Amino acid sequence: MEVTQVLLNAQSIDGAVRKNAEESLKHFQEQNLTGFLLLLSGELVSEEKPVETRKLAGLILKNALDAKDQQRKVELVQRWLSLDGNAKSQIKAGLLKTLSSPASDARSTASQVIAKVAGIELPHKQWPELVGSLLSNVHQLPVHAKQATLETLGYLCEEVSPDVIDQDQVNKILTAVVQGMSASEGNADVRLAATRALYNALGFAQANFSNDMERDYLMRVVCEATLSPEVRIRQAAFECLVSISSTYYEKLAPYIQDIFNITAKAVREDEEPVALQAIEFWSSICDEEIDILEEYGGDFTGDSDIPCFYFIKQAIPALVPMLLETLLKQEEDQDQDEGAWNIAMAGGTCLGLVARTVGDDIVPLVVPFIEENITKQDWRQREAATYAFGSILEGPSPAKLIPLVNVALNFMLSALTKDPNSHVKDTTAWTLGRIFEFLHGSAVDSPIITQANCQQIVVVLLQSMKDTPNVAEKACGALYFLAQGYEEVGPSSPLTPFFQEIVQSLLTVTHREDARESRLRTAAYETLNEVVRCSTDETAPLVLQLVPVIIMELHNTVEGQKLSSDEREKQSELQGLLCGCLQVIIQKLGSSESTKYLFLQYADQIMGLFLSVFACRSATVHEEAMLAIGALAYATGPDFVKYMPEFYRYLEMGLQNFEEYQVCAVTVGVVGDICRALEEKVVPYCDGIMTQLLKNLSSNQLHRSVKPPIFSCFGDIALAVGEYFEKYLMWAMSALQSAAELSTHTTGDDELIEYINTLRNGILEAYSGIFQGFKNSPKTQLLIPYAPHILQFLDGIYMEKDMDDVVMKTAIGVLGDLADTLGSHAASLIQQSVSSKDFLNECLSSEDVMIKESAEWAKLAISRAISV
Amino acid sequence: MAPHDIRRPFKRAAISDQQKRRELSLLRQAQNRRDAQQQARCLASSILSLQSAAPESQPEQSDIELETVPEAEQESEAFSKDLDVRQASKLRGPEVRKWFARQLMLPEWMIDVPDRLAQDWYVFARPAGKRCFVVSSNGTTVSRQRNGSILHHFPSALPAGAKIRDGSGSAQSYCILDCIFHELDQTYYVIDMVCWNGYSLYDCTAEFRFYWLNSKLEESGACNAPSHYHKFRFSAVPVYNCDQSGLHAAYTGVVPYAKDGLLFYNKHALYQTGNTPLALVWKDENCSQFVIDTDGKGEIPSQQQVVLELQDDRKLVTSDDPPVLFGCLDGDIIEKSGLHTGNLLRFAIGDGGLSFVDGKLEKADLIYLGKSNRARAFADSYSKGFQLKSL
């Protein structure tokens, strides 16, 4: 194969030529992988070849080593490891040689490929000489090779985990990187590559950051780099500081004053990319302290691993004025631009985080700024003042904020309609939303919304929903939180008199020509959903009237006409919103017997529409329709059986959707809804469902988060069909047993432990459902052989002492179900188990009502079982 | 190694409404799963308590047991009995049907005049219709007929009878009423009150129960015309002392419902499940259109019928406690018809009729017709036989 020509063809503007070239590359790769890879590395290393083919050869090589898909990635790793050793040595030598190439694209591509190979080989103790040979390069080579080598070290640190490189090599890497960063390095490209490499190497420097001298040195080099004349280096250096702020928060105390000075100067004087990173440093410190303080739980005897140094509290006298200055640097049209991110936005966001970190203390520092600017002629000052006010509404106590809000509310309401500047109105509407979100609701003692101003607020927000899309979207957001605040208001809501008008206005917004801008339509439907969710029985008839309206809207979207791809996207977005809205309505009306019966007259129509919506290919729409169908099944009860013949294939499709695992997870939940609705009438569909669920469990392509709900679903099915579950019992029990063995012991981070507990809960819910399903059936004895293992599982997780409350409640319930169903057959087994004594006693004395209730049930069932 | 993106959400809520919908759905499903589990566990405990209360000498006796379990053995505390009724009202299946059949207080036929009738007894005209238990709890109301089958599932103005957030009914609140559903005006006539708003009246005298019934039912709004949250109207019935004017009023007085005999309740009697001589029923052609059995077309069959239970020694007995022997069945018939102990059998009373001597049955001329309707849970009582005779 004339590889250069093929690689050139593969980048041709002629589609046919390109396709042909891609085909022959694919063909060759399948025929002879080793030869193919050698050919590519030969192309990459050769100085005679054109840069574009060298670069493409490198990229194909890289893609042969790594993939986004986890499954594919594992395959590629295995494939590389099993390749012929000589060929691999030859490829690797070529890659290292390319680092010295005069062609920068070739060098840069080689850097990335080397890191990928290292990512595979170093954990297997292969290529031990790599780091050594890279380091020797740094000291000997021409400048461009030095730059490429430092870049390679950076990629390498990004690719491999710190534990596969020993401390000696880490020290050497850091030394090389820090030398490359220092002011004495004359070449800016080398210095930039070194600074970016340090960013990735910081995770390797645990030991070095624990040593005072080494840490001082590292910090000094980073701080010096923030003063470099080259803007890219300054930016990269601040990125390092941001990363250090979260990775080494507890080591920062000696440097924080200097860092403040550096960041303040950058925020005030430097170019925007640098200033943004400087602000981000403080936002990141806020994140850390908010986390730590949350773990303290507001009580200072608390036990966070990391102490809080209160950097923000100490810094606010200087930090807050600095952030307030940034608010005045708005861009003209930032509110219309979805992707905008500028210094004013970053500064305001940071101010909000500071308010959450320090609480009341921020208020006196911000109020003078608001008072001074809120009425100024220049829109920038009015907007900045409003934004400052909106930013500090979360964090300080209501007692501190409510007097301010009581003064400001009228001003805000009038600004929302009368201010000539759209930017000011946008921020004003957002601030009103924040006021309602944090200071309005049953949890707040002195209400800011009274009979006197409620009507005015509603009128102003509804009027504002006719404003430009970005302002209207914020007004919808404010209405969302206004409604939410009345969620627990009791039988009569202050919004009742306006309900009809609110709903009508929101529907009008969804029909605006420009409703797709600033996600206005989405906001309008979301607000409609919240208004419905928080409505009271008084307005139930009005919610019922909304049903045919939304049905008609959805009906209009499924009318079969040929659509362009843009129109199709628009249509599925709308279908998703409408299915979501119907779901909320179904749940609302279905929760009360009286409204349920009236609503159910629409059930056939709605179900028909949901089925036709499945014809569209959008995962979001499928998910929304599924969720809505689950709610419908719950409301309909046994009558849902009439929809099953048609619906079943979509149910099966959902269960098979591994790629969009959210759809799969939601469908598993809907199977549960259907089981509870149909009870034994679900039997004809169980073979298909159980087969698919068992298949899903054994697949390693399915996202792990779907597996616990599948186990719970076994329980739902067993409870619904009773002894009919016998035909699946062996398979289900064997899947449960192996999952139980895996989840008895936990090792790993918090996230893994949380997952394991979810898994345990799913397994236990399955056992409960199966036991209760077989109860009072002559086939109960089929369960006896499984009892020892289940009791062993209960004992095992009890001994581990890392159950959460949910698992504890389910686990003790299973003990009761086992005793209840097996009775005297299991009496001696139960008496031998730890669970029936220590675990049960612990649960009986639990302060959690649900655990206690389950435990009392278990106690009763056990005493019955052992007394016979 | 491009610069790292540090954009943060700007003027946006922390979680999307879609995420919220997803989470609320999961929450609902988890709650429904808990309820289903809870229900399964409760069914288990109420059936268990029944089984353990049944006499142990007759374990797997039959599909349908006839013995009315003496109340004291069944459950000592009235409270736990209420709970069972509440939970059982949501359940299905033959077990539940059997269980429910035992929960109503059943009057005997009046075959003589009790002492102190005028002082100790109430009388009222029994509405024609389906006798049932009405249970309101957790925002819904269920009515169950004597055989346990569900008559209606509906919202009502009874405490805890509909999902209305007025804060009046706590989660523990519930009611159990002994009613007759009168088809014609779609009304539940409440003839007795077993529990009201979580308060048990099992151990209260009829005098108190009727007083409570009359004051509380009206107060609750359950007597109002039907509405969204109140699908059927409830009504109390006029109750009279059993003196001459009371009897006259009950017997001839105009009521909004079709009468089906007179009911007599002893004022001092507690609510007792099963047959009791402290409640009596009287029917004649003046106060009931159902004084005698009619067939499917409403015509009077040439012979009156009686349903009796077959025992293992071929004896035919009534539902009374203790059962009264009506006769013996021929072994041939048992074999030919594949009958088992415990079957309920329908007989016609032949020309020989029933002969009573000193209030005791001496001889019955019974003609075997076949098994009784499957929905039937009881044999007739002795007093029905007696009253048939008196016609």
Side-chain angles (χ1 to χ4, degrees), chain A residues 280-329:
Chain A
E280 180 61 18
F281 173 85
W282 292 102
S283 291
S284 169
I285 295 285
C286 288
D287 288 342
E288 291 303 312
E289 296 197 342
I290 289 169
D291 279 356
I292 295 169
L293 293 171
E294 241 165 43
E295 263 188 60
Y296 280 164
D299 129 36
F300 285 76
T301 59
D303 47 7
S304 168
D305 297 339
I306 303 167
C308 187
F309 288 95
Y310 299 100
F311 292 139
I312 299 295
K313 200 177 164 73
Q314 294 165 51
I316 48 171
L319 181 61
V320 170
M322 175 187 93
L323 294 172
L324 291 172
E325 280 172 41
T326 67
L327 298 186
L328 293 157
K329 300 182 181 171

Side-chain angles (χ1 to χ4, degrees), chain B residues 26-173:
Chain B
L26 288 175
L27 218 61
R28 177 185 59 73
Q29 285 167 346
Q31 179 65 45
N32 293 157
R33 179 176 293 130
R34 261 205 303 280
D35 290 351
Q37 276 291 347
Q38 197 57 30
Q39 194 165 311
R41 287 174 185 166
C42 288
L43 173 61
S45 51
S46 59
I47 286 172
L48 266 173
S49 67
L50 278 173
Q51 283 169 347
S52 58
E56 282 177 28
S57 55
Q58 315 154 336
E60 301 276 313
Q61 197 190 31
S62 67
D63 284 0
I64 300 170
E65 297 177 54
L66 263 174
E67 268 70 19
T68 307
V69 180
E71 198 203 352
E73 278 180 46
Q74 198 171 354
E75 275 291 8
S76 50
E77 272 178 281
F79 177 68
S80 53
K81 187 163 53 187
D82 305 346
L83 280 180
D84 285 345
V85 176
R86 269 201 303 156
Q87 285 151 358
S89 71
K90 296 174 195 152
L91 308 175
R92 300 157 206 203
E95 295 283 356
V96 176
R97 212 175 271 185
K98 222 159 85 182
W99 189 84
F100 252 92
R102 288 211 187 83
Q103 302 310 312
L104 287 165
M105 179 153 92
L106 305 173
E108 289 190 358
W109 292 77
M110 184 180 250
I111 42 184
D112 61 2
V113 178
D115 293 342
R116 294 175 53 83
L117 182 74
Q119 293 80 31
D120 289 349
W121 292 74
Y122 287 127
V123 64
F124 59 90
R126 181 192 186 280
K130 293 175 180 134
R131 176 85 182 276
C132 53
F133 248 149
V134 174
V135 179
S136 69
S137 76
N138 275 329
T140 184
T141 309
V142 176
S143 56
R144 284 204 182 249
Q145 299 184 64
R146 207 181 133 175
N147 65 9
S149 64
I150 292 186
L151 181 63
H152 297 123
H153 193 150
F154 59 104
S156 75
L158 296 173
K163 286 210 164 56
I164 302 175
R165 276 187 286 171
D166 60 352
S168 68
S170 72
Q172 273 76 42
S173 166

Side-chain angles (χ1 to χ4, degrees), chain A residues 239 280 287 339 387 426-427 480 529-530 533 583 591 594 623-624 673 679 716 817 864, chain B residues 1 4 7-8 10-11 17-18 20-22 25 28-29 33 37 41 48 92 163 228-229:
Chain A
E239 282 183 40
E280 180 61 18
D287 288 342
Y387 194 39
D426 182 294
T427 304
Y480 185 103
N529 292 345
E530 192 65 6
R533 268 195 287 258
Q583 183 208 334
S591 66
S594 47
E623 191 189 336
E624 294 283 7
D673 281 327
E679 299 200 321
D716 298 338
D817 294 327
R864 246 187 242 137
Chain B
M1 286 182 288
H4 298 84
R7 244 173 303 189
R8 287 171 180 259
F10 178 70
K11 292 188 181 174
D17 195 74
Q18 190 189 14
K20 184 168 178 172
R21 283 199 291 280
R22 221 178 260 146
S25 277
R28 177 185 59 73
Q29 285 167 346
R33 179 176 293 130
Q37 276 291 347
R41 287 174 185 166
L48 266 173
R92 300 157 206 203
K163 286 210 164 56
H228 275 337
Y229 302 105

